[in-house]
């Protein structure tokens, strides 16, 4: 690439953009400059063949040929070398537009409407006609068009590859200006480069001359993942045949991505406009398709309420035949929905079978997908499904403050169904949180950046796949202090799983019929509802029902008052026997719900009381003392686990498999402290979480007390000096 020309073009276009100041703020420059750069490139591209296209158009129009049928013929008339038709049937060019300054606005609209269908749609999604009106009203339109007419973007001067680089730079530059919303559709280029380096490491086939591979991004935004992947592969294998596919729901982002594809003569039909998850109006644009490589930065920490009906219906009706069989995440973060969607699009893999090539995924998340959700919940089950199928290859923790709209830490997940033999059954965790440099000038929340050397270092760490690998990293960028730290850990799949058991303690209560406890009966809904009626349409019947209920309340109070002399009961069974006898004397019928209300009102927990038993003679659990314990999956655990996915699935096989493990744990960890505790096996669940930060935590002992005291004394002296100055 001609670097000098590239830099000159960047400078020229930015100088033109600055002429918009006034009617536009810098974050709004992209609304004009991105579509007009595309327009100027197409103008330069089509100008030499303009007359030939117009002549062909007049001929085909005279033959009354439909536009759809004209497209291929006019495309060849414009440029026989292009694979995808691009032409303009209006009589205008940039030069001709300048010849009629009074009518430049309607003429420019007419010029845009003369393009082939794909180009027209791009400008529609840019909403460029709105900007034409705004520019014309502010007397800027002619100035901008004239300035752009002096920028030569002809293919003889700047080829498709260099034009792609220029356009990518402009997208990045203008999105940085609009950084308050850039994170919705723009990923920093160094993050994309690092993801590309990681996902194509160890992929020998992609570097075979003539190889055909498909690349897909389900949340493609402006197309950065696709462009960087293409650039990375072609930079090492210029003879690779790559098909880029993406889907984007934002109109402007889709238009930017398609513009880049159109400029580089790639198939814009592979960039679908719509909601990937499905919102009822649009859906997965590549249903039933599979891809070799998938990269994405899906929206994280974003609610998926708009997609809720579609996603839940697919989950319920299709299960694992659809995209979301493993489970659904919390409604406030749909990140794991995108990962399930991508996994569903993996090619099958069979070692030695050229037709079963498998796939590899790189996706960037926030921290939530690592650990959110309890055992048995949607997020935990999704992690479990991925890990037990041995698809999770590695997770790389990135520095904070990398993205424009958030300062949080992010993580790259590498997922594949064709792990190398040495990586099978294992997951690599990489601590890349210290691999960054401070930016000279921050862009909103983006204050850090990953350099090319650091990208290479992280890629090599991933490729070496060593447990306990160390690297020297900067721990304080202000002082330049460095430390040698562990940056790579290797774990068996089962080490991320655990059994969550529910430990019960017996309910022990004393009972006493004191006036204060009897008064608490009024707070029990079952007892209070006795003096109410649901017969609202029949007033007399309602009054009679309320009267009878009130009498029953009084009789129950009378029966309980008779027990006051008995004092405190330390056994619920004895209290219940006396209660039944007292109720008979008071001619009060005590139903089951009322009896529970009495127990709740007159009873208090007492560790010295006898155990309360249910009607089957089993100890009743105390819900307030209920506890849970997480038991790591033992070595030798066979994956996948013997348990269905979902909270409503039976766990009989799971209990049978791990009862001995649970009993040993209880005998060692629980029963020595609480001898009458037991496990409610029916509540046993499997959970999975990935506590990556815990595995790289470095303990820093506190400073000696003498140093702290000395600092405090110094501060006190400084404050005293300041106060003395104020008093004097």
């Amino acid at each position: 690439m001609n670097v000098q020309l590239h830099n000159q073009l960047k400078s020229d276009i930015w100088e033109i953009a600055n002429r918009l100041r006034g009617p536009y703020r810098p974050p709004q420059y992209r609304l004009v400059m991105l579509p007009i750069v595309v327009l100027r490139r197409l103008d330069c591209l089509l100008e030499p063949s303009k007359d030939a296209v117009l002549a062909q158009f007049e001929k085909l129009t005279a033959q009354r040929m439909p536009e759809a049928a004209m497209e291929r013929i006019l495309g060849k008339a414009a440029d026989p070398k292009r694979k995808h038709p691009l032409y303009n049937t209006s009589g205008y060019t940039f030069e001709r537009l300048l010849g009629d300054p009074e009518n430049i606005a309607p003429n420019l609209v007419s010029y845009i409407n003369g393009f082939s269908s794909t180009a027209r749609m791009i400008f529609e999604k840019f909403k460029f006609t709105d900007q034409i009106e705004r520019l014309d009203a502010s007397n800027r339109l002619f100035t901008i068009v004239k300035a752009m007419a002096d920028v030569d973007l002809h293919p003889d001067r700047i080829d498709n590859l260099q034009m792609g680089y220029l356009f990518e730079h402009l997208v990045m530059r203008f999105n940085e200006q609009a950084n308050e919303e850039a994170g919705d559709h723009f990923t920093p280029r160094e993050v994309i480069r690092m993801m590309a380096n990681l996902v194509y490491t160890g992929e020998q086939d992609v570097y075979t001359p003539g190889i055909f591979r498909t690349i897909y991004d389900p949340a493609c935004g402006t197309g950065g993942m696709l462009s960087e992947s293409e650039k990375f592969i072609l930079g090492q294998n210029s003879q690779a045949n790559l098909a880029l596919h993406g889907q984007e729901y934002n109109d402007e982002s889709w238009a930017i991505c398609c513009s880049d594809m159109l400029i580089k003569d790639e198939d814009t039909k592979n960039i679908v406009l719509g909601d990937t998850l499905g919102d009822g109006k649009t859906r997965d644009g590549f249903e039933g398709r599979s891809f070799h490589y998938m990269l994405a930065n899906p929206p994280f920490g974003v609610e998926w309420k708009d997609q809720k009906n579609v996603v839940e219906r697919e989950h319920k009706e299709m299960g694992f035949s659809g995209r979301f069989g493993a489970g659904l995440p919390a409604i406030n973060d749909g990140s794991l929905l995108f990962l399930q969607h991508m996994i569903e699009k993996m090619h099958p893999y069979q070692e030695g079978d050229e037709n079963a090539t498998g796939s590899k995924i790189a996706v960037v998340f926030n921290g939530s997908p690592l650990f959110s959700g309890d055992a048995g919940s949607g997020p935990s089950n999704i992690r479990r499904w991925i890990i037990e199928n041995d698809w999770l290859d590695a997770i790389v923790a990135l520095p904070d403050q990398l993205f424009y709209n958030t300062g949080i830490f992010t993580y790259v997940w590498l997922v594949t169904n064709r792990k190398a033999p040495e990586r099978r059954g294992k997951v690599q965790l990489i601590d890349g949180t210290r691999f960054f440099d401070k930016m000279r000038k921050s862009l909103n929340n983006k204050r850090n950046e990953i350099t090319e050397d650091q990208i290479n270092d992280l890629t090599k760490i991933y490729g070496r796949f060593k447990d306990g690998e160390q690297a020297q990293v900067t721990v304080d960028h202000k002082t330049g202090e460095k430390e040698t730290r562990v940056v790579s850990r290797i774990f068996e799949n089962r080490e991320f799983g655990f059994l969550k058991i529910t430990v019960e303690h017996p309910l022990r209560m004393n009972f006493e019929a004191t006036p204060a406890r009897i008064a608490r009966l009024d707070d029990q809904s079952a007892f209070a509802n006795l003096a109410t009626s649901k017969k609202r349409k029949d007033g007399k019947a309602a009054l009679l029902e309320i009267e009878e209920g009130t009498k029953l309340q009084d009789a129950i109070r009378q029966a309980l008052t008779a027990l006051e002399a008995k004092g405190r009961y330390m056994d619920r069974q004895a209290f219940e026997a006396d209660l039944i006898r007292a109720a008979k004397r008071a001619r009060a019928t005590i139903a089951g719900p009322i009896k529970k209300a009495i127990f709740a009102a007159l009873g208090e927990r007492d560790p010295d009381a006898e155990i309360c038993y249910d009607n089957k003679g089993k100890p009743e659990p105390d819900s307030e003392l209920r506890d849970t314990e997480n038991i790591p999956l033992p070595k030798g655990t066979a994956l996948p686990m013997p348990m269905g996915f979902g909270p409503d699935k039976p766990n009989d096989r799971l209990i049978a498999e791990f009862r001995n493990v649970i009993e040993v744990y209880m005998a060692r960890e629980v029963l020595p402290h609480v001898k009458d505790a037991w496990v409610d096996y029916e509540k046993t669940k499997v959970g999975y979480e990935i506590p990556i930060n815990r595995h790289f935590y470095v303990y820093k002992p506190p400073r000696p007390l003498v140093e702290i005291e000395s600092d405090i004394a110094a501060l006190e002296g400084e404050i005293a000096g300041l106060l003395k100055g104020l008093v004097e």
Side-chain angles (χ1 to χ4, degrees):
M1 184 180 71
N2 187 327
V3 176
Q4 184 177 357
L5 175 60
H6 183 70
N7 291 334
Q8 183 61 49
L9 287 170
K10 290 191 299 184
S11 176
D12 291 344
I13 292 172
W14 190 248
E15 190 276 328
I16 295 171
N18 280 325
R19 300 182 189 188
L20 294 169
R21 188 178 296 274
Y24 293 85
R25 295 181 296 106
Q28 298 174 315
Y29 289 176
R30 75 182 195 280
L31 301 176
V32 173
M33 295 309 300
L34 290 176
I36 206 165
V37 167
V38 174
L39 188 60
R40 178 57 179 153
R41 170 63 170 186
L42 301 185
D43 183 72
C44 292
L45 188 68
L46 300 178
E47 188 175 13
S49 60
K50 186 74 174 180
D51 293 337
V53 170
L54 289 177
Q56 187 68 267
F57 179 64
E58 288 179 10
K59 178 181 176 182
L60 297 175
T61 302
Q63 297 173 0
R64 297 183 178 180
M65 183 175 287
E67 182 183 348
M70 290 185 189
E71 191 163 276
R72 186 179 63 83
I73 299 172
L74 292 175
K76 291 300 180 183
D79 185 351
K81 296 179 181 179
R82 279 187 66 91
K83 294 179 290 184
H84 306 288
L86 176 64
Y87 55 86
N88 187 287
T89 58
S90 79
Y92 296 105
T93 63
F94 264 59
E95 198 63 39
R96 295 173 190 176
L97 286 169
L98 297 176
D100 187 5
E102 295 299 321
N103 295 303
I104 192 167
N107 291 345
L108 183 55
V109 172
S110 177
Y111 180 35
I112 291 170
N113 290 336
F115 277 104
S116 46
S117 58
T118 300
R120 274 203 317 272
M121 184 179 293
I122 288 172
F123 289 110
E124 286 173 11
K125 298 307 179 183
F126 269 128
K127 298 181 175 62
F128 191 45
T129 53
D130 295 344
Q131 305 310 319
I132 291 172
E133 292 178 12
R134 186 174 174 183
L135 288 165
D136 194 39
S138 61
N139 201 29
R140 293 289 203 286
L141 183 59
F142 182 82
T143 302
I144 296 297
V145 173
K146 187 176 186 303
M148 282 303 304
D150 292 333
V151 178
D152 186 1
L153 298 179
H154 193 279
D156 290 343
R157 182 171 185 249
I158 174 170
D159 61 22
N160 280 343
L161 182 61
Q162 185 157 4
M163 187 64 206
Y165 288 152
L166 174 64
F167 196 66
E168 286 175 26
H169 169 81
L170 295 175
V171 169
M172 177 178 67
R173 181 84 180 263
F174 288 123
N175 275 314
E176 286 173 354
Q177 289 294 315
N179 55 47
E180 70 272 9
E181 57 187 61
D184 291 341
H185 53 258
F186 186 70
T187 308
R189 276 304 189 270
E190 79 266 22
V191 175
I192 301 176
R193 285 197 297 274
M194 193 197 67
M195 292 172 69
N197 273 263
L198 292 170
V199 81
Y200 299 118
T201 293
E203 299 295 300
Q204 298 305 319
D205 288 348
V206 80
Y207 304 115
T208 303
I211 193 75
F212 173 75
R213 286 294 180 261
T214 53
I215 304 170
Y216 171 62
D217 182 349
C220 65
T222 55
M225 298 281 184
L226 301 175
S227 296
E228 285 294 335
S229 288
E230 181 182 46
K231 188 189 305 182
F232 184 89
I233 294 172
L234 293 180
Q236 301 177 67
N237 178 14
S238 61
Q239 298 180 50
N241 296 308
L242 305 177
L244 308 181
H245 302 76
Q247 185 159 350
E248 173 57 34
Y249 75 98
N250 179 276
D251 284 359
E252 186 190 68
S253 299
W254 177 88
I256 293 171
C257 185
C258 281
S259 300
D260 186 37
M261 300 282 281
L262 188 67
I263 285 170
K264 293 186 289 189
D265 191 23
E266 296 182 10
D267 194 352
T268 57
K269 292 179 181 178
N270 289 340
I271 308 300
V272 176
L273 179 62
D275 194 300
T276 299
L277 300 179
D279 58 7
K281 295 182 180 179
T282 58
R283 57 188 297 176
D284 175 13
F286 299 94
E287 190 171 349
R289 296 282 300 277
S290 297
F291 303 95
H292 297 101
Y293 298 101
M294 290 170 265
L295 300 92
N297 173 20
F300 42 73
V302 176
E303 291 185 344
W304 50 280
K305 286 183 179 178
D306 293 338
Q307 300 82 15
K308 183 173 183 290
N309 292 337
V310 173
V311 170
E312 288 184 344
R313 183 169 60 249
E314 184 173 337
H315 168 70
K316 182 178 180 180
E317 295 177 0
M318 299 185 67
F320 285 103
S321 297
R323 296 174 291 172
F324 311 117
L328 303 179
I331 196 68
N332 62 355
D333 190 351
S335 299
L336 287 171
L337 293 176
F338 281 91
L339 181 52
Q340 288 186 89
H341 167 87
M342 296 164 80
I343 289 173
E344 190 267 340
K345 295 193 176 301
M346 290 196 301
H347 282 289
Y349 176 70
Q350 181 65 48
E351 197 164 0
D353 186 347
E354 294 182 359
N355 297 317
T357 57
S359 301
K360 193 171 183 181
I361 296 168
V363 58
V364 61
F365 286 151
N366 63 359
S368 177
L370 294 169
F371 52 77
S372 65
D374 199 2
S377 68
S380 178
N381 277 342
I382 295 167
R383 288 189 293 269
R384 177 186 160 208
W385 175 63
I386 294 169
I387 293 172
E388 290 188 2
N389 278 289
D390 198 21
W391 293 331
L392 183 59
D393 183 28
I395 295 178
V396 182
L398 301 182
D400 63 348
Q401 302 179 62
L402 276 183
F403 289 78
Y404 301 99
N405 66 340
T406 179
I408 64 174
F409 287 96
T410 51
Y411 305 82
V412 174
W413 291 41
L414 297 173
V415 176
T416 181
N417 59 353
R418 49 177 158 84
K419 287 185 179 181
E422 67 273 12
R423 303 182 82 102
R424 291 172 190 166
K426 298 181 175 66
V427 176
Q428 182 180 18
L429 301 183
I430 297 173
D431 180 13
T433 57
R434 300 287 177 178
F435 287 73
F436 70 91
D437 280 356
K438 284 290 181 183
M439 296 175 63
R440 287 179 294 178
K441 182 181 179 182
S442 63
L443 293 169
N444 201 20
N445 288 304
K446 182 173 175 57
R447 300 177 179 86
N448 299 330
E449 61 183 351
I450 307 175
T451 66
E452 288 300 317
D453 287 343
Q454 290 162 341
I455 290 173
N456 292 334
D457 289 341
L458 288 170
T459 304
K460 290 174 183 176
I461 291 169
Y462 167 69
R464 285 191 288 263
F465 191 63
K466 291 183 180 179
D467 184 34
E469 180 172 352
Q470 296 182 332
Q472 191 176 58
V473 295
T474 303
V475 295
D476 190 330
H477 280 265
K478 291 182 179 178
T479 64
E481 180 186 354
K482 294 182 179 292
E483 285 185 7
T484 299
R485 291 191 176 182
V486 173
V487 293
S488 173
R489 298 289 310 277
I490 312 297
F491 295 91
E492 294 180 21
N493 288 343
R494 58 101 190 159
E495 292 184 80
F496 299 108
F498 60 91
L499 299 170
K500 182 180 180 180
I501 63 171
T502 300
V503 179
E504 302 283 12
H505 302 261
L507 179 65
R508 298 175 183 270
M509 299 186 75
N510 68 52
F511 299 87
E512 195 169 4
T514 62
R517 294 195 187 189
I518 293 172
R520 296 199 300 233
L521 261 179
D522 294 330
D523 297 329
Q524 298 295 318
S525 58
F527 183 80
N529 289 340
L530 289 174
T532 61
S533 175
K534 295 181 179 179
K535 298 177 180 179
R536 297 176 182 175
K537 295 182 180 180
D538 190 338
K540 290 183 179 180
L543 288 173
L544 181 61
E545 191 173 16
I546 291 171
E547 183 179 345
E548 290 176 352
T550 303
K551 287 180 180 179
L552 180 56
Q553 285 180 332
D554 292 340
I556 292 172
R557 290 191 186 96
Q558 180 183 345
L560 293 173
T561 302
L563 297 178
E564 183 177 3
K566 295 279 190 175
R568 179 169 294 183
Y569 292 83
M570 300 298 285
D571 188 336
R572 190 177 72 180
Q573 191 173 359
F575 172 71
E576 184 177 6
D578 284 354
L579 173 63
I580 293 171
R581 285 192 288 268
K584 286 182 179 179
R585 290 194 295 269
R587 297 181 179 180
T589 301
I590 301 179
I594 304 302
K595 187 187 293 184
K596 288 182 179 180
I598 293 171
F599 289 161
L602 274 67
E604 291 183 355
R605 283 173 170 77
D606 187 340
D608 297 324
E610 296 296 325
I611 294 173
C612 298
Y613 294 89
D614 60 21
N615 54 12
K616 295 182 180 179
K618 295 182 178 180
E620 209 171 293
D622 187 340
S623 59
E624 291 189 4
L625 297 178
R626 182 172 294 139
D627 196 7
T628 58
E629 298 279 340
N630 290 343
I631 305 175
L633 296 182
K635 289 184 178 181
T637 298
L639 298 178
M641 300 284 287
M643 183 180 180
F645 287 87
D648 56 342
K649 303 297 181 184
N651 64 354
D652 298 358
R653 292 174 57 209
L654 181 79
I655 295 170
E657 179 81 17
F658 290 103
R659 181 180 285 272
N660 289 339
V661 173
I662 296 170
E663 288 178 351
V664 168
Y665 179 87
M666 285 290 292
R668 184 180 71 246
E669 302 292 343
V670 179
L671 295 180
H673 310 288
V674 189
K675 63 181 180 179
D676 51 12
W678 73 93
V679 175
D680 185 345
Y681 282 98
E682 291 185 359
K683 295 178 181 176
T684 301
K685 297 177 181 178
V686 175
Y688 275 80
E689 63 179 16
I690 308 168
I692 187 170
N693 294 332
R694 182 197 308 166
H695 293 304
F696 293 105
Y697 174 73
V698 177
Y699 173 71
K700 291 285 187 181
R703 291 189 301 153
L705 286 175
V706 175
E707 290 185 14
I708 297 172
E709 289 174 352
S710 176
D711 287 349
I712 292 173
L715 287 171
E716 288 176 343
E718 186 178 337
I719 292 169
L722 293 171
L723 290 174
K724 183 178 179 182
L726 289 173
V727 172
E728 293 177 350

